[in-house]
Each structure stands twice: as structure tokens, then as C-alpha cells.
Amino acid sequence: MPASYAYLGPEGTFTEVALRTLPEAATRELLPYVSVQSALDAVRTGEAEAAFVPIENSVEGGITTTLDELVAGEPLMIYREVLLSITFALLVRPGTQLSDIKTVTAHPAAQPQVRNWLRANLPDAVWESAASNADGARLVQEGRYDAAFAGEFAAARYGLRALETGIHDAENAQTRFVLVGRPARPAAPTGADKTSVVLWQRDDHPGALRDLLGEFATRGINLMLLQSRPTGAGIGNYCFCIDAEGHISDRRVAEALMGLKRICLQVRFLGSYPRADIRPGQERTALPGTSDQEFLAASDWVARCQDGRFQ
């Protein structure tokens, strides 16, 4: 497989900036693709070793395009995640003033992060979505739009200037990016890990979602993301994208997944991988009765009972 990483392009996206924080990116050819779908398809077809795409931001939650691509199609697996703090600049062609701006563009995920600023400063500007923030900058360069919300670093690359900088509606806004490849053995646990899955209910009944979440709750597993996505099978038919603390090699996580496999119509494992928000040693202390040692002790007790050794 080629030693290359696909990413949401073109050059100058926040995705590219986040990707370059990975040490291994320095030894890979970095290939920009026009969309999340095409970047992930490059992995599925063997054009790239892995793809690096945004999956969640702290303002709007899960990025549905990425989640839907991971839910459907040939299975892929998450191997790494990166958190990047996000602030926007308003990029324009040289000579453009704020009063000249009638149209603005950016990736759809950017709009919730600049909505209040836009209302206060450009209330009459028409918003049009672009495939990425850098692609919006390119469209401004070509004269298609008057301004684009993108990273300030993209200005020089597209011959633009930053008319305004430090734009954000929410302080400390972050976007989470993931490195996605073909399914393989997960990396060894670090002690500060995350496991991602997609769940499909077997049927719709009162308490169905509670039953799914109960598999995590009874084992003391904290959830970090819970987002429903339509399956396409009709109104009211949803699957659930979940990020949970822990690694599939942890006994409590493995048993939760086994329980879900029993009660769900389908479970798609998206990977266990190191968390980007904490380091090993900073993870939450396991609740009483949920450590690997306690699971092993309980399993040993059952085995002794089965052998007639009740002590």
C-alpha cells in the first residue's frame, strides 16, 4: 500500500495543519482530496495508507459527513486522534473592505462557530458552503465569493489577506481529527484510550436506548460521544455512534461489547486508540468493581463454583 496519507484538502485546511502534528506525517506523502468521502474512499481503494479527517468539534458535536461515511460502506478503523484549537480569519482579496463583502463561504462546520460574529458584522452577507475552509479561500481567490472564513495561515497560500483575525463565537473551540485506515489489530492500550463503535437496535421498543447504554453504565464506562444518525430505512430508524472511555482489551470494555453484540442487530467496531485530551496516568479512576483485576477475580470465582470449590 502506498506510503501516503489522504486528507481533506486542498492545501491550507485546518485538517492539514492538524495532520502535520503527527510525527509519522513527515515520512508520508500527504495527498489532499476534495471531500471527506473521497479521502476515505482513497483508503478503501488502496490509493492511500490512511486518511485524516475531522470528526467532531466542540461547538456542534459530531461532524455528520465523517460519521455517516464510517457508518456505511466497507469498514474502516480509527487509529489516532488529534485535537486542534480553532480560530478563524476573514480572508479577502487585496483591496476588499468589510463594506464590500456581500457573499461569504466556508465549510459547513465553520458556520456555527462564526454565526454570532457574522450576524454582528456582516448581517446582510449571503452564506454559501464550500467543500472545506481552504477551498472557500480558493473560491475567493477566483472571484466566486467576496470572503472566506479559514485559518489565517491560508491567506498567503491563496494570495489573500486577513481582513479580520481571531474570529470565534466560543472560547477555546476545538476540532477533533482522526487517522483512519483499513481494519487491523488495534494498538496496545496506553491506559488513556478511547473505543468507538456504531450500534443498530434490533427493534424499536420502550427503553431500547436505555438497554444499549446500560451495557456501559453497569460496567462503569463513561461515554464521551453519543450521536444518532438516520439509517436511511425510514423516519425513526437510527443507529448510534458512541465513543467510550477505555480500550477493547480492558475487561469491562470487552464485556460491554459482548453484551451489545448479543442485544443489537449490528455492532461496528471503529477502533480503540489513544486519547488526545489526556495522557496515561490522567485517566479516570475505575469505579469499584470495574477494574480488570476485579473482573478476573469474579471470573475465577465462577470457575471455582463450577468446579464445586465454593470458597
Side-chain angles (χ1 to χ4, degrees):
M1 186 172 290
S4 60
Y5 284 172
Y7 70 92
L8 176 62
E11 295 181 348
T13 57
F14 287 110
T15 307
E16 182 191 7
V17 171
L19 172 57
R20 291 187 181 277
T21 68
L22 294 178
E24 60 267 36
T27 64
R28 303 294 196 276
E29 181 183 9
L30 306 184
L31 305 176
Y33 282 77
V34 298
S35 66
V36 168
Q37 296 94 323
S38 59
L40 294 177
D41 282 344
V43 180
R44 290 183 169 116
T45 61
E47 295 174 22
E49 175 187 354
F52 193 76
V53 294
I55 194 170
E56 181 186 6
N57 70 64
S58 60
V59 177
E60 283 288 285
I63 294 176
T64 56
T65 301
T66 302
L67 292 175
D68 290 347
E69 282 297 309
L70 294 176
V71 165
E74 186 180 345
L76 295 171
M77 200 164 108
I78 299 171
Y79 289 92
R80 294 283 296 278
E81 69 174 11
V82 171
L83 293 178
L84 184 70
S85 296
I86 302 292
T87 60
F88 292 91
L90 186 68
L91 305 187
V92 299
R93 293 181 296 277
T96 300
Q97 302 300 317
L98 201 63
S99 58
D100 300 325
I101 297 174
K102 307 302 180 188
T103 56
V104 296
T105 187
H107 188 274
Q111 188 176 23
Q113 302 180 64
V114 300
R115 185 184 294 127
N116 293 336
W117 188 95
L118 193 60
R119 185 184 301 117
N121 295 275
L122 292 169
D124 298 322
V126 176
W127 173 283
E128 295 285 348
S129 292
S132 68
N133 297 317
D135 191 55
R138 179 185 63 82
L139 294 173
V140 171
Q141 180 190 46
E142 294 176 357
R144 298 267 300 274
Y145 300 100
D146 298 326
F149 289 102
E152 186 177 359
F153 48 80
R157 194 166 298 192
Y158 293 97
L160 304 175
R161 74 181 183 97
L163 185 61
E164 301 280 348
T165 60
I167 300 171
H168 55 270
D169 289 350
E171 293 287 343
N172 304 315
Q174 291 183 310
T175 294
R176 182 166 70 102
F177 301 84
V178 289
L179 184 69
V180 179
R182 298 181 69 82
R185 181 184 295 272
T190 67
D193 301 290
K194 177 184 295 185
T195 293
S196 298
V197 293
V198 186
L199 309 176
W200 284 261
Q201 294 173 294
R202 190 176 299 278
D203 57 72
D204 187 19
H205 61 270
L209 179 57
R210 181 199 61 191
D211 294 343
L212 303 186
L213 300 183
E215 296 291 336
F216 296 103
T218 58
R219 295 172 177 88
I221 301 171
N222 189 48
L223 300 187
M224 307 173 72
L225 174 73
L226 171 61
Q227 183 152 340
S228 62
R229 297 301 303 148
T231 64
I235 296 295
N237 287 278
Y238 293 90
C239 61
F240 299 93
C241 301
I242 290 176
D243 289 345
E245 288 183 342
H247 192 280
I248 192 171
S249 65
D250 298 338
R251 290 294 294 264
R252 64 183 184 279
V253 175
E255 290 204 8
L257 295 182
M258 286 190 287
L260 291 165
K261 185 64 176 176
R262 291 196 307 270
I263 65 174
C264 290
L265 177 66
Q266 182 182 352
V267 177
R268 175 169 284 197
F269 175 65
L270 294 180
S272 291
Y273 47 94
R275 290 172 58 176
D277 58 332
I278 63 171
R279 296 179 180 180
Q282 298 177 324
E283 65 274 11
R284 187 192 310 269
T285 302
L287 294 175
T290 66
S291 69
D292 273 10
Q293 293 80 3
E294 288 163 314
F295 270 99
L296 288 170
S299 178
D300 180 64
W301 176 80
V302 170
R304 287 187 283 109
C305 289
Q306 292 171 333
D307 288 343
R309 297 178 289 116
F310 301 124
Q311 300 301 318

